[in-house]
Each structure stands twice: as structure tokens, then as C-alpha cells.
Amino acid sequence: MASVLWFRRDLRINDNPLLSEFRQDIVLPVFIFDTQILNKLSKDDKRVSFIFYSVMKLKNDLKAIGLDLAIFYGEPLEVFEKISSICHIDEILACGDNDFYAKSRDEKISQSYKLISFNDAFLLPASYGLKKDGTPYRVFTPFYKSVLPFVEILSQNQYKIKSAKLVDFDYKSIQLESFGFEKADISHIPYIDKPMELLNDFKPYFDMYKDLRDDISKKPYTSGLGIHLRFGTIGIRECIRELILYQKEGIDTSEFIRELIWREFWNMLLIHFPKSEFDNFYAVDIKWENDKDKFHSWCEGKTGVPIIDAAMRELNATGFMHNRLRMIVSSFLTKDLLIDWRWGERYFAMKLLDYEASSNIGSWQWASSTGADGVPYFRVFNPYLQTKKFDKDGVYIKRWVSEYKDIPSGKLYDENYLLMYGDSFYKKPIVVHKVASERFVRAYKDGMIK
Ligand SMILES: Cc1cc2nc3c(=O)[nH]c(=O)nc-3n(C[C@H](O)[C@H](O)[C@H](O)COP(=O)(O)OP(=O)(O)OC[C@H]3O[C@@H](n4cnc5c(N)ncnc54)[C@H](O)[C@@H]3O)c2cc1C
């Protein structure tokens, strides 16, 4: 009889419920490279390399506490069947996730095994997203105000490692290449081998985070924490505990915590409105144009709109894009190009290292004004004004789009100039912003369900 500890998006030993809440004193820690997920990814997907690296680190960390990690490649249910032929599974412990695939996979497994699920990837359990009348919040600010008093209390819930014996099993190492993936270059991922130092090193920037986080031209004044929260190499509870500690040292981390609560908000929306993974959050029937050529231009960073092309090329090259730029490119795709938010959401899902279903779906719906807490639908981001505000000297744009290297920075936000001369040095913008945004407003109005 053994407790199986199924590591998934909680790739750490610190403050991990799996290492604390098992009831058998014999355990089998496992990680499964799930073919249902992997089969949809490209063979050089950076996230797979990051996961592989983190799984190997987890294996070593487990060894250091007298345990080990059995690593599998396959479908989870089949893997558990294989394990049960060797030892009797009493229970499977795992940290839960809220997207459709994760829920249906767990549902299937719990029909055959006792699956015990923990809330770990997010701080707030589902009951915290509710108003006094029991219905879920749909707007961020009241949600934020209602949950803020509980943030510190919930973060104090710390899981201590309990000692256990290891099931006699084959704990051999596995090579990434053995299941058809290539090792991608992930050296640019911040703090890959010492995640917990990330917050400490970000200490000098918390005080200026509110004012400087949108400055995309210089050093990014954002943390790069996303990927670590996504795969649990930093736990959200330990992260908040650390930020509260800094607050007690006189460092203002409140704005940063507020952003982490945005992450909680999107998660709550996905929990309470699971259909929003696929359908518009608000009932509006927009007739998207869905022009495939324009979509490909957007994906490849070849729209002729400087800020869009720079951001998309950075995403394609690194797997990262700054929040401000995510807002600009998502607005451009849905409102200027009139392309369904689901196309953009899927593209981000393929490319973002820190891809988080709830944040991505919520933010894409927000950007297209089909979602919760949306700006009024008639307000459309102007990519040229955004450039003037956040990359006035064109430093960011020129870093990523060499075609603009000799163009004076003021011309990078001069739409008329780009429409007139763009073809002579690269290409002119594929849409005229004013015309396109008026078209979106009309399409939205026509789609409103009366
Ligand atoms: C269209 C669009 C898609 C997005 N997709 C994702 C996604 O797939 N995964 C993801 O984690 N975030 C997503 N975001 C939110 C945000 O852009 C990223 O969290 C942030 O850019 C990650 O960089 P960072 O870790 O350096 O952020 P920092 O500014 O250092 O923030 C620290 C952490 O706070 C959280 N956070 C910050 N801003 C937001 C926000 N607006 N919404 C939710 N959480 C936030 C993240 O966990 C982030 O890692 C998306 C935003 C937009 C507009």
C-alpha cells in the first residue's frame, strides 16, 4: 500500500502539500510527461526543456531528503495502471488545476483511484471569489478589496516535509531526447536554477514597480516570476510570505501583490465560469473577419506596425512579452484586425513560457471587450500613441525589428509617415488604425445581444 505523490505544476519540495499530507508511510513520488499535452507541442518547445530541467532538479532535491522521483512518459491513467501492477496504490495526491483538460483528466483518474487534490498553484480557494449573495465577482476592484484581508493569513499555511519510506521501484533517469524532444536554449529564463533568489534580487525594484513597470525601453522593471509560478518552482504561498516580510522591512510590495491578486482573479473567473475557456464571457456575437493572411502577419511580427512587430518577434524568439505589450498586441489582433480572441489566445498558449490558462483566457477576453472587467468596448488601444508613451525613443522597437534601425524614432509612432513610406524600407501597416477601430466598434454594436 503506497501513497503516490503526483508532481505536476508544483516542481519543488518546499511548502508542498504532497510531501506533507500523505497517509501511508510508504510513498512513490512520480512525474508524468503527459503525452496528451506533449503531442500538441513543437519538438523544441522551451517549456518542455524548462520542465525537464526542473524535474531533474526536483529529483535531486527529493534524493537529498531520502526520497526519489520516478519519471514516466505516457498517458496518466495508463501510467497508474502500470504502477498498480507493481504496488498497490492507496491514494494519489496531486495539486489541482482548473482548465478543461486538467479537470477532465483528473475526473477520469478519480473514477479508478482515490485522487486527493490540493489547492497549491493559487492562494485563494474557490470560496473566496464570492460576493455576500454567493455569486462570483466579475469585476476586479471589489474582488481585490474583499480578498486582501485574507492574503497574509492564507499565505501562512505552510506544509512541512513529513518523513516517509520509498517504494522499491525503478528510479532511473530519463533523457529528454528519448521522447522525441530537443533541448532548447533556456539559459535566458531568469533564475532557472535558484528560483527563490529571484524575489530577493528584485528587492530594489519593488518601490518603483508601480511607476516603472510599463517602461519597456530600458531594463524591464518586471520580475520574470511568471514561469516559476506556472510550474511551481516558486510556490505562491512562499512568494507572498516573502513579499510580506519585505513590507515589514519598509519595502513597498503592495502594488506587486495587487498584480498577483489579478492572477487570482482570473483563476476565480475560470473556476466559476468554466465555459469562458471557449465562449465569450459576455454574450456578444461579433462577426470576426478572421483573415488568415493578417493573422499570419501578426504571428510573425510582419504587420508593418512597429510596436506590434517588435513585441511579436520578441515573443517568438524568447517566449516572453511584457504585460503592456501583451495588452497592445491583443487589442490590435482583436480590434484592429477583427480576429477572434481565441486565435490569439491559442497562439500565446503555444509561445508563452509563463502560459497560464486562466490569466491568458481572462486577459484575451478583456482585450477584446468580450470579457470580465472590460474597458468600454469603444475604447481601442492606439498602437502609435502607446509607442509614443512607452517607447518614445524607439529603443525597444529597434532592438527587435532591424528594418527600422535607420528610421528616426519619432517616425515609429507617425502612422501617416509609415503608411506613406513604409514600403520603401520595410512595409506599410496592414491596417489604418482609425478605420479599423471604427469597424470594430460597428461589429461590436451589431453583435450585442438585445
Ligand atoms: C493578452 C494577455 C495575455 C496574458 N497571458 C498571461 C499568461 O498566459 N500567463 C501569465 O502568468 N500572465 C499572463 N498575462 C498577464 C501578465 O502580462 C503577465 O503575468 C506578466 O507580463 C508576466 O511577467 P512578469 O512575471 O515579469 O510580471 P511582473 O510584472 O513581475 O508580475 C509578477 C507576477 O504577477 C502576476 N501578474 C502580473 N500582471 C498580471 C496580470 N495583468 N494578470 C495576471 N497576473 C499578473 C504574474 O503572475 C506575474 O508573474 C497576460 C496579459 C495579457 C494582456
Side-chain angles (χ1 to χ4, degrees):
M1 292 274 264
S3 296
V4 171
L5 316 181
W6 183 13
F7 288 86
R8 305 195 297 198
R9 51 169 304 174
D10 50 339
L11 302 177
R12 63 178 196 284
I13 62 165
N14 281 347
D15 190 8
N16 188 328
L18 303 192
L19 292 168
S20 168
E21 299 299 297
F22 50 86
R23 53 173 198 191
Q24 293 299 329
D25 47 9
I26 302 186
V27 299
L28 176 61
V30 302
F31 182 86
I32 304 168
F33 282 95
D34 184 343
T35 43
Q36 293 283 352
I37 299 174
L38 292 192
N39 288 346
K40 297 190 187 111
L41 304 178
S42 77
K43 294 301 166 201
D44 60 351
D45 193 299
K46 292 187 175 66
R47 291 166 298 193
V48 179
S49 289
F50 176 84
I51 295 168
F52 186 78
Y53 184 91
S54 304
V55 165
M56 289 306 162
K57 184 174 179 302
L58 174 67
K59 187 173 173 68
N60 283 335
D61 291 347
L62 286 168
K63 278 183 182 166
I65 57 167
L67 297 176
D68 205 333
L69 186 68
I71 303 170
F72 299 88
Y73 172 69
E75 265 203 58
L77 194 56
E78 286 169 14
V79 169
F80 292 123
E81 277 158 16
K82 198 164 139 195
I83 293 174
S84 350
S85 68
I86 299 169
C87 75
H88 181 77
I89 298 178
D90 175 50
E91 56 179 8
I92 300 172
L93 275 61
C95 295
D97 217 342
N98 301 311
D99 61 281
F100 178 77
Y101 169 68
K103 284 198 300 191
S104 51
R105 173 198 57 200
D106 288 359
E107 179 68 38
K108 209 161 110 188
I109 286 166
S110 54
Q111 282 163 15
S112 309
Y113 299 93
K114 182 172 182 201
L115 179 67
I116 303 172
S117 180
F118 298 92
N119 178 48
D120 180 75
F122 295 89
L123 185 72
L124 304 169
S127 55
Y128 281 76
L130 302 176
K131 294 187 272 190
K132 283 202 179 88
D133 65 2
T135 61
Y137 285 99
R138 291 161 182 257
V139 178
F140 175 72
T141 305
F143 169 82
Y144 170 72
K145 285 186 182 152
S146 84
V147 301
L148 193 60
F150 303 102
V151 166
E152 179 163 4
I153 305 164
L154 288 168
S155 73
Q156 298 308 321
N157 184 17
Q158 197 170 347
Y159 293 93
K160 296 266 181 313
I161 298 172
K162 214 164 77 176
S163 68
K165 274 188 258 148
L166 204 54
V167 171
D168 188 14
F169 207 80
D170 182 1
Y171 292 99
K172 70 173 184 308
S173 273
I174 182 169
Q175 295 299 317
L176 182 61
E177 292 79 1
S178 67
F179 42 91
F181 278 79
E182 295 159 20
K183 271 203 184 108
D185 179 15
I186 48 170
S187 54
H188 65 286
I189 297 179
Y191 296 87
I192 180 158
D193 47 36
K194 41 181 179 150
M196 276 316 283
E197 286 178 32
L198 184 151
L199 288 174
N200 190 49
D201 288 359
F202 200 69
K203 256 181 170 178
Y205 305 104
F206 285 115
D207 281 328
M208 47 183 123
Y209 179 74
K210 186 175 182 188
D211 298 328
L212 294 185
R213 74 180 285 236
D214 274 335
D215 188 340
I216 53 172
S217 62
K218 302 196 192 81
K219 170 192 180 334
Y221 291 99
T222 62
S223 67
L225 180 62
I227 187 168
H228 294 290
L229 291 177
R230 173 62 187 88
F231 297 110
T233 41
I234 297 179
I236 184 67
R237 289 181 301 278
E238 55 187 347
C239 174
I240 300 271
R241 282 199 297 275
E242 197 77 359
L243 295 171
I244 289 170
L245 212 68
Y246 299 165
Q247 239 158 21
K248 290 178 181 156
E249 291 170 17
I251 299 170
D252 183 7
T253 56
S254 56
E255 196 60 28
F256 197 85
I257 291 178
R258 192 171 190 276
E259 291 306 327
L260 290 171
I261 297 178
W262 265 107
R263 179 175 177 270
E264 299 287 332
F265 176 65
W266 295 131
N267 182 51
M268 282 300 167
L269 287 187
L270 189 58
I271 291 177
H272 295 299
F273 302 97
K275 284 193 180 148
S276 66
E277 185 166 344
F278 310 105
D279 300 335
N280 291 344
F281 186 83
Y282 284 115
V284 48
D285 185 19
I286 302 171
K287 297 277 173 277
W288 304 104
E289 187 185 55
N290 290 343
D291 181 315
K292 287 197 176 113
D293 291 338
K294 287 184 184 152
F295 180 63
H296 287 129
S297 303
W298 177 85
C299 294
E300 289 165 15
K302 289 186 179 159
T303 65
V305 181
I307 193 86
I308 304 295
D309 292 356
M312 294 306 295
R313 291 186 195 189
E314 180 185 14
L315 175 68
N316 292 334
T318 67
F320 184 77
M321 189 192 289
H322 187 284
N323 181 60
R324 169 64 44 186
L325 296 164
R326 295 186 204 199
M327 293 198 284
I328 300 171
V329 302
S330 54
S331 172
F332 185 79
L333 184 80
T334 54
K335 295 185 170 175
D336 286 52
L337 300 186
L338 206 58
I339 290 177
D340 195 327
W341 64 267
R342 281 160 280 232
W343 291 31
E345 197 279 327
R346 283 290 86 210
Y347 192 73
F348 268 30
M350 260 163 44
K351 295 286 171 181
L352 277 178
L353 290 175
D354 63 20
Y355 172 64
E356 181 73 74
S358 48
S359 294
N360 204 46
I361 292 161
S363 302
W364 270 96
Q365 292 235 35
W366 174 89
S368 62
S369 296
T370 57
D373 207 30
V375 288
Y377 69 91
F378 46 82
R379 223 191 289 156
V380 179
F381 271 67
N382 179 326
Y384 303 101
L385 293 181
Q386 293 285 314
T387 306
K388 191 172 177 193
K389 210 163 164 197
F390 299 109
D391 190 31
K392 197 165 191 293
D393 299 327
V395 176
Y396 174 77
I397 289 172
K398 291 187 184 193
R399 191 182 305 148
W400 288 103
V401 191
S402 59
E403 291 91 324
Y404 294 123
K405 73 178 187 321
D406 299 323
I407 306 302
S409 54
K411 301 294 179 204
L412 298 176
Y413 47 86
D414 182 342
E415 187 182 19
N416 289 334
Y417 173 85
L418 294 164
L419 285 166
M420 198 115 64
Y421 302 110
D423 277 340
S424 66
F425 51 86
Y426 165 38
K427 71 188 285 188
K428 65 179 188 188
I430 58 174
V431 282
V432 178
H433 174 67
K434 190 166 182 296
V435 176
S437 51
E438 284 171 2
R439 183 179 65 149
F440 173 78
V441 170
R442 275 196 309 277
Y444 196 100
K445 265 193 194 153
D446 291 347
M448 279 174 164
I449 291 162
K450 280 121 199 163

